[in-house]
Amino acid sequence: MSESDRVAGPPGEVPVTGIGTAEASPRVRNTKGSYLATKLAYNIGRLHGLRLRLYLYRRIGMKVGKGCVIRRGVYLGSPNELEVGEGSFVGRASLYCTGGVKIGRNVNVSDGAVIITAKHDVNSPIFEAKYEPITIGDWAWIATNTIVLAGVTIGEGAVVAAGAVVTKDVPAYSVVGGNPAKVIGERKRQPFDYVPGSYRPPFL
Ligand SMILES: CC(C)(COP(=O)(O)OP(=O)(O)OC[C@H]1O[C@@H](n2cnc3c(N)ncnc32)[C@H](O)[C@@H]1OP(=O)(O)O)[C@@H](O)C(=O)NCCC(=O)NCCS
């Protein structure tokens, strides 16, 4: 990095650099394998035919249970770090999985949801990249246009209401909404009689 790339900070502070360079930024979990899997998943995600897509996703290291739908047009970063349990539905969402994403059984991830395990340390002089895993419990519903941030665990049966930004763990069977998401309701605990992955809209 040349001196001209440096941006002077306040006197006495470490100079702020541009976006971390390859040698400076410790991208702990991003590997050549995950970059390749991301690239392949981008193309797989545009193919017609759910069964074909699932076959190819599994070939590139994604763990997908039986009876799942991963909808055409989804964005999957580091799909080799993604696990989706039986009967779950993932719509046209964006999942950045470098830090590890574990989705339970019979989960519904609606169109427009963003699940992101990556962040930057804003006080790091090298804008250090950090990755923290996200876990989503069985029967949870991640509604449309929500954002689930790094390190969060969503409890079993919980509902993340449309537009919520989830910054902290969500208790089981609670309904959370808003930015930052807060508990706005409870979901009845009962034996559920639906399988999100059995929903097959046309042109999947
Ligand atoms: C979770 C959800 C279903 C709640 O809907 P609901 O049970 O009909 O709730 P209500 O409209 O009766 O609202 C109850 C309260 O929660 C609030 N609320 C409802 N949705 C909210 C949201 N997304 N964010 C914040 N607050 C919300 C309401 O303002 C109301 O507050 P009040 O009691 O102070 O008036 C709805 O918010 C939602 O997220 N829909 C998702 C749509 C979607 O993703 N569709 C894709 C289908 S796969």
Side-chain angles (χ1 to χ4, degrees):
M1 185 177 58
S2 72
E3 273 308 302
S4 60
D5 289 327
R6 293 180 189 278
V7 181
E13 286 197 11
V14 182
V16 178
T17 65
I19 302 264
T21 55
E23 72 277 12
S25 182
R27 293 183 181 276
V28 195
R29 302 284 298 279
N30 251 330
T31 59
K32 275 187 188 160
S34 64
Y35 280 122
L36 179 62
T38 303
K39 207 174 170 78
L40 292 169
Y42 181 84
N43 293 296
I44 295 167
R46 270 138 195 83
L47 297 172
H48 286 277
L50 175 65
R51 283 174 64 178
L52 172 64
R53 288 198 304 278
L54 293 182
Y55 168 77
L56 294 170
Y57 281 141
R58 288 181 180 121
R59 290 298 302 265
I60 62 167
M62 186 168 145
K63 296 188 183 71
V64 198
K66 286 183 190 158
C68 286
V69 168
I70 311 290
R71 200 165 186 190
R72 188 167 172 263
V74 70
Y75 175 81
L76 302 175
S78 304
N80 52 316
E81 301 290 349
L82 172 61
E83 194 175 326
V84 184
E86 238 174 86
S88 290
F89 180 98
V90 178
R92 292 193 182 106
S94 300
L95 281 64
Y96 299 81
C97 306
T98 307
V101 172
K102 192 169 178 190
I103 295 177
R105 295 178 176 205
N106 298 305
V107 169
N108 190 336
V109 178
S110 297
D111 291 355
V114 175
I115 294 171
I116 181 153
T117 59
K119 63 179 175 185
H120 292 278
D121 178 350
V122 296
N123 292 314
S124 156
I126 57 163
F127 201 46
E128 185 186 353
K130 293 187 160 186
Y131 304 95
E132 290 173 11
I134 292 174
T135 305
I136 301 176
D138 299 346
W139 300 106
W141 177 22
I142 313 301
T144 190
N145 284 352
T146 51
I147 302 178
V148 179
L149 293 175
V152 159
T153 295
I154 311 275
E156 180 183 309
V159 175
V160 177
V165 179
V166 183
T167 60
K168 293 191 165 68
D169 291 354
V170 173
Y173 292 91
S174 63
V175 180
V176 298
N179 179 7
K182 304 265 186 248
V183 175
I184 58 169
E186 295 298 322
R187 188 181 191 190
K188 193 173 160 188
R189 289 174 190 258
Q190 59 189 315
F192 291 119
D193 189 21
Y194 71 98
V195 178
S198 65
Y199 172 61
R200 303 288 160 102
F203 307 112
L204 261 177

